[in-house]
Each structure stands twice: as C-alpha cells, then as structure tokens.
Amino acid sequence: TKVLKGLIWRFLQQFSTKIVQFLIQVILARILMPHDFGLVILVTVFINIAKVFVDGGFGQALIQSKHVTNADLSTIFYLNILVSVVMYSLIFLVAPYVANFYGIEILSSLLRVQATVILIEAFVIVQNALMLRNMLFKHSFLRSGVSILAQGITGVTLALLGFGVWALVCGHIVSSVVSVMVLWATIKWRPSRAFGIHGIKGLIKYGIGILGTNLVNTTIANVYSLVIGKAFTAQMLGYYNRGDQFPSLAAQSVTEPLTAVIFPTMSRMQGSIYDIKSLMRLIMIMGSFITFPLMMLMAVIAEPIVILLLTEKWILCVPFVQLACIKYAFSPIHSANLQAVKAIGRSDIFLKLSLVK
C-alpha cells in the first residue's frame, strides 16, 4: 500500500513537473539561441561533478541504512556544508583557466555565479534523504513544483528582457533557493551540535562506493559535453544537449518515480532477496511497457516535433533525439537492477558496474 501511494505521488510529481519543465524549455529555446544553452551546459558539467563530492554518497547511505541517529544526521549535515565551501572555492579559482581553455571569456563569470548552487543545495542533502527515506512524496511533489515554476518565471522573464545566457543561470539559482526554502519548511529536522565521525563509519563505508559510482557516472555522462564544446562549438553542444533532453525528460517521467519509491522499499526488504527480485521484475515490466513504445514513437516523429516546437533553427538536433531515444528505451531495466544492488548494500558492485560501462 505504501509503495502504491508513493508511486502515485511520484508519478503525479513527474508528469506535472516534467510537463511544466518541458514547456519552459520550449519557450526558452524559441527565445534564446543554441549558443546560450551550450555555454550553460559547459558550466553545468563542472558543477555536477562538484555536487557529487558534496553529497559524498551520504544521501543514498542515509536512505539505505536501517538505523540512523540524530548525531549521524548532524555530522553529515556539517560535512556537506564544509565540502561545499571547499568545492566552490576550487571552482572559483579554476574558472579563469576554464574560460581560457575554451577561448570563451564569459565562461569564467558564468561558472563562478552558477556555482553558488553548490553552497545553496548543500543545506538540504540530509533533509532530502530523510524525505525519501520516510517516503514523504507529498513534500517532494510540493518542492519540485514550486521550484520549477520559480525557475521558469525567472528564466522566461529575463530572456524576454534580453539577458541572454544569464536568464538560464539566474533561473537555476532561483530554483535552488526556493527548493531549499520549501524543504526546510516541510521537513522539520534541524541539525544539533552533535558531531562525531566515529558514529558514521558504516555510512562512510557504504557512501564511498556510491561516491565512486556517482563520480564515474557523472564524469562519463558529462565528458561528451566537454569534448564537443572544445572540438566543435558551443552552438553544436546546444544541439547535442537539446537532442538528448527531450527523450530524457520523457524517460525520466517513467523511471524516476519508480526509482524513488523502490529504493527505500527494497532497503526495508534486505532480509528477503526473493521479495526484492519480485519487486524488481514488476518495476521492469511496468517501466518497459511504457518506455519502449514511447521512445520508438519519439524517434520516428523527431523531425516534425523539433520543427513544430523549437523552429527550424534547432533542426540539427534531430539525429541526437533519435539516438537518445534508443538509449533511454532501456532505462527501466537498467534502473531497476541498480536500485536492487544498492538496496542490499552492495555499493561495491554498483561501482564495478559503472566502471565497466
């Protein structure tokens, strides 16, 4: 019953927020140029990698662990803040070198400004983990909806006023701020003065595997953007990213609700591999039943969709849409297996699988 309720809330969240997000992206794509999106993608690569270190795998560890004390939560909270300051400082220092490497002067300012989201989002890693651990998906629904609306209103308004690429950057920052405010208002946990590394040794051991996995996955997922931005142009990177984004939005609308619900559920089933396998099979069947035909349909009608929604200036992203559809068609199978591996505490296998990929 709890799983079904969680799935309902997560599907409501995904479909509503993804539709709003899709509409916002369409509006922004019609106003801004591919070059603007390419610049933000380059900046986002470095920020995404930094976020992996800030989380440190503790978010997943808190969800998976059977017993967590308030002292453990407070210790992780302070560690997240400390690491976020270190990572932002590093990004601030290397920003000019990144701009010089790509020969785009504005990248330095963009990177330094948008990297503030690292500091902002560090304040809710524990709250977000508690929300998922306790399956409080109503709060997640509220958080996503409000933050995406805030991002869209900010981004579209600034784009119409002629701020160009800064419209996208400011939209991301506003979204992060609103997300933090909503989580602090809905999740009543607050950090105490308790701090002790000794009590979280088990979480650290599990988190290291998740950290390594996330670092590998994030680096590999973003290395294409780094290479395309250097070997080609920011404009071509914009086409590549937009081509991947639409199939990704559609596939994530199916897989993310399933993932968010089955990981905490499977974590509670750790004593019964049979139950975990049964749930995993069910999730793979449900997800594939929707995702496979959806991706194939999108691949077939990619060109008219791009022209209708984004106009002719985005026509070069059509081949990327079609290739991405093939990739995301298998996402439910892939995701269900990984959640099961994580749930039984085998973060080492999770890491090895990512390295093989």
Side-chain angles (χ1 to χ4, degrees), residues 64-66 265-273 276 343-345:
Q64 191 271 342
S65 179
K66 290 184 177 181
T265 305
M266 286 180 174
S267 296
R268 299 182 183 189
M269 296 177 174
Q270 291 181 53
S272 175
I273 295 296
I276 292 177
I344 61 175

Side-chain angles (χ1 to χ4, degrees), residues 53 60-61 85 101 113 128 140 206 209 227 240 255 276 328 342 357:
F53 286 100
Q60 298 289 317
V85 173
F101 178 76
V113 174
N128 187 59
S140 180
Y206 180 85
V227 174
Y240 168 79
T255 58
I276 292 177
Y328 289 111
K342 286 195 300 180
K357 283 195 299 178

Side-chain angles (χ1 to χ4, degrees), residues 18 24 40 48 77-78 132 160 166 174 208 211 286 351:
K18 294 299 182 184
I24 291 170
V40 171
N48 287 341
F77 178 84
Y78 295 127
L132 295 176
L160 290 171
W166 289 105
V174 170
I208 287 175
L211 170 62
M286 290 173 59
L351 175 57

Side-chain angles (χ1 to χ4, degrees), residues 4-73:
L4 289 174
K5 287 181 179 179
L7 282 173
I8 290 170
W9 276 108
R10 289 300 287 193
F11 272 116
L12 284 174
Q13 174 186 334
Q14 285 300 312
F15 283 112
S16 59
T17 56
K18 294 299 182 184
I19 288 172
V20 173
Q21 189 177 0
F22 174 77
L23 293 175
I24 291 170
Q25 291 298 319
V26 167
I27 295 170
L28 288 172
R30 296 177 74 94
I31 300 172
L32 302 175
M33 301 302 293
H35 177 78
D36 297 323
F37 287 91
L39 291 176
V40 171
I41 295 157
L42 280 175
V43 168
T44 305
V45 169
F46 297 95
I47 294 172
N48 287 341
I49 293 174
K51 284 181 179 180
V52 173
F53 286 100
V54 175
D55 179 87
F58 286 125
Q60 298 289 317
L62 288 175
I63 299 172
Q64 191 271 342
S65 179
K66 290 184 177 181
H67 305 289
V68 179
T69 66
N70 188 60
D72 297 337
L73 297 174

Side-chain angles (χ1 to χ4, degrees), residues 26-299:
V26 167
I27 295 170
L28 288 172
R30 296 177 74 94
I31 300 172
L32 302 175
M33 301 302 293
H35 177 78
D36 297 323
F37 287 91
L39 291 176
V40 171
I41 295 157
L42 280 175
V43 168
T44 305
V45 169
F46 297 95
I47 294 172
N48 287 341
I49 293 174
K51 284 181 179 180
V52 173
F53 286 100
V54 175
D55 179 87
F58 286 125
Q60 298 289 317
L62 288 175
I63 299 172
Q64 191 271 342
S65 179
K66 290 184 177 181
H67 305 289
V68 179
T69 66
N70 188 60
D72 297 337
L73 297 174
S74 298
T75 300
I76 292 172
F77 178 84
Y78 295 127
L79 284 174
N80 291 148
I81 301 298
L82 177 62
V83 176
S84 71
V85 173
V86 173
M87 296 309 300
Y88 178 80
S89 300
L90 288 174
I91 287 179
F92 190 90
L93 292 174
V94 304
Y97 299 100
V98 173
N100 290 336
F101 178 76
Y102 285 100
I104 306 174
E105 186 177 351
I106 196 176
L107 273 182
S108 179
S109 300
L110 290 174
L111 185 53
R112 286 175 170 177
V113 174
Q114 186 160 331
T116 55
V117 300
I118 297 171
L119 299 171
I120 297 168
E121 294 178 6
F123 283 88
V124 290
I125 291 175
V126 172
Q127 281 88 343
N128 187 59
L130 289 174
M131 177 183 67
L132 295 176
R133 176 185 174 89
N134 297 313
M135 302 179 74
L136 302 174
F137 296 117
K138 290 182 182 180
H139 301 325
S140 180
F141 177 78
L142 176 64
R143 173 200 182 187
S144 297
V146 175
S147 62
I148 287 175
L149 282 175
Q151 179 181 359
I153 292 170
T154 303
V156 172
T157 301
L158 293 178
L160 290 171
L161 292 174
F163 281 84
V165 66
W166 289 105
L168 299 173
V169 173
C170 293
H172 287 144
I173 294 173
V174 170
S175 174
S176 295
V177 171
V178 171
S179 179
V180 169
M181 292 172 63
V182 172
L183 267 185
W184 274 77
T186 54
I187 305 298
K188 300 305 181 182
W189 176 86
R190 296 293 181 268
S192 63
R193 294 182 180 180
F195 185 89
I197 298 294
H198 180 75
I200 61 170
K201 285 185 177 180
L203 296 176
I204 292 175
K205 182 179 179 181
Y206 180 85
I208 287 175
I210 299 298
L211 170 62
T213 302
N214 290 342
L215 184 59
V216 171
N217 288 340
T218 304
T219 303
I220 295 301
N222 289 281
V223 74
Y224 298 107
S225 298
L226 293 175
V227 174
I228 293 170
K230 178 63 177 176
F232 298 94
T233 62
Q235 183 177 11
M236 185 56 70
L237 179 57
Y239 291 134
Y240 168 79
N241 177 260
R242 188 61 56 210
D244 183 83
Q245 191 172 43
F246 286 160
S248 174
L249 279 173
Q252 287 175 3
S253 297
V254 179
T255 58
E256 283 188 2
L258 298 175
T259 299
V261 174
I262 65 174
F263 179 49
T265 305
M266 286 180 174
S267 296
R268 299 182 183 189
M269 296 177 174
Q270 291 181 53
S272 175
I273 295 296
Y274 176 82
D275 289 338
I276 292 177
K277 287 183 177 180
S278 298
L279 180 57
M280 185 176 72
R281 291 190 189 100
L282 176 63
I283 294 301
M284 285 194 292
I285 292 170
M286 290 173 59
S288 299
F289 183 78
I290 301 171
T291 305
F292 263 82
L294 179 62
M295 291 296 101
M296 295 306 101
L297 175 64
M298 185 176 292

